[in-house]
Structure formats: structure tokens, C-alpha cells
């Protein structure tokens, strides 16, 4: 009889674990939109290549106004500093200054029906050694 109780307990635990796992998966997957990269840019800065009258050109992405987008920006400096601004629709976002002590890893959400394009501007100091990577994300099909 002891063996029967042990097998019954193990079977009940397995069934409960499976049920809880399925509920957790269903709760996590419902309503979450998956995004994919559709465009990107990358800048690398070196102090020896700095020219005062030659700033990086702003990068502009076209958006499908009917869809929500996300914009991922990652920036880091070994030396110097940079400032990054993002403009879309009526929103103007100035990210925290990037330095050797303060990298930037931001994910911005651009709601549907707010903008037809997104523009990113980057300004640097003469002694900047670092990089900026920006990725525009749209809902996966």
C-alpha cells in the first residue's frame, strides 16, 4: 500500500506541475507583440578623425504610421562624451549624456498613429572614442 501512495503522490505532483507550467506559458504569451529589426545604423568615433565642422548626419527612418514601433539605441564611450536626440511626431527625446561612466541602452516605444518618421541626431566632443548603434523594430508578421 505504501508503494501505491508514493506512485499516486508522484503522479499528482507531475500533473500539477504540468498544469501550472501551461498556465504560466499561456499568461506570458498572451498579448505580447514580437518585434523584428527592419533598419539600423552604426557610427564609430575616433578622436583622430574628429573634424569640428563635420558632425554625423542625422539618421531618418520612415515609419508605417498604422503600426507601433520600437527603437533600440546602444551607445558607449571609452573617452569623451556624446549626446543623442530622438525626434518623432510631436515627441522630442533627449537621452542622458553618454560617457565612459554612463553608457546608453534605451528602448523607446513609438505608438501607432503618432509619426511617419523618426530622426536620430548624435553630437560628440572632440576627444570621443566610442560607438552608437540604433535599430528600428517593427511588429513581426
Amino acid at each position: 500500500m505504501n508503494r501505491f501512495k508514493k506512485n499516486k503522490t508522484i503522479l499528482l505532483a507531475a500533473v500539477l506541475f504540468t498544469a501550472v507550467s501551461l498556465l504560466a506559458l499561456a499568461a506570458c504569451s498572451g498579448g505580447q507583440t514580437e518585434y523584428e529589426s527592419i533598419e539600423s545604423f552604426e557610427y564609430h568615433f575616433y578622436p583622430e578623425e574628429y573634424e569640428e565642422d563635420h558632425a554625423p548626419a542625422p539618421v531618418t527612418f520612415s515609419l508605417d504610421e498604422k503600426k507601433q514601433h520600437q527603437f533600440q539605441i546602444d551607445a558607449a564611450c571609452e573617452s569623451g562624451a556624446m549626446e543623442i536626440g530622438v525626434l518623432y511626431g510631436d515627441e522630442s527625446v533627449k537621452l542622458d549624456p553618454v560617457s565612459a561612466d554612463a553608457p546608453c541602452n534605451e528602448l523607446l516605444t513609438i505608438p501607432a498613429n503618432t509619426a511617419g518618421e523618426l530622426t536620430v541626431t548624435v553630437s560628440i566632443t572632440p576627444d570621443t572614442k566610442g560607438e552608437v548603434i540604433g535599430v528600428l523594430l517593427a511588429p513581426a508578421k
Side-chain angles (χ1 to χ4, degrees):
M1 191 71 143
N2 195 12
R3 186 182 206 182
F4 177 71
K5 284 184 180 179
K6 185 177 180 181
N7 287 341
K8 186 177 175 184
T9 304
I10 290 172
L11 181 61
L12 181 61
V15 169
L16 284 174
F17 177 76
T18 303
V20 168
S21 297
L22 290 174
L23 285 173
L25 286 173
C28 290
S29 65
Q32 296 234 352
T33 303
E34 290 188 33
Y35 287 85
E36 63 185 0
S37 170
I38 56 172
E39 286 187 75
S40 64
F41 74 90
E42 195 167 328
Y43 284 136
H44 297 272
F45 302 108
Y46 302 97
E48 57 272 9
E49 295 177 2
Y50 180 83
E51 294 179 23
E52 193 168 325
D53 58 344
H54 180 68
V59 178
T60 301
F61 296 107
S62 294
L63 305 175
D64 180 348
E65 289 188 53
K66 296 177 186 174
K67 295 180 183 178
Q68 175 173 299
H69 292 78
Q70 290 184 337
F71 182 67
Q72 174 70 44
I73 188 125
D74 296 306
C77 292
E78 288 182 33
S79 63
M82 65 178 86
E83 291 187 355
I84 303 169
V86 180
L87 176 67
Y88 60 91
D90 294 335
E91 294 291 322
S92 178
V93 179
K94 186 173 183 180
L95 302 177
D96 290 336
V98 179
S99 67
D101 297 330
C104 172
N105 301 95
E106 293 284 333
L107 180 64
L108 303 173
T109 299
I110 298 96
N113 302 315
T114 58
E117 61 183 30
L118 175 137
T119 301
V120 181
T121 56
V122 179
S123 60
I124 62 171
T125 59
D127 59 340
T128 299
K129 180 175 183 181
E131 67 180 13
V132 178
I133 301 170
V135 180
L136 181 64
L137 305 159
K141 296 176 181 161

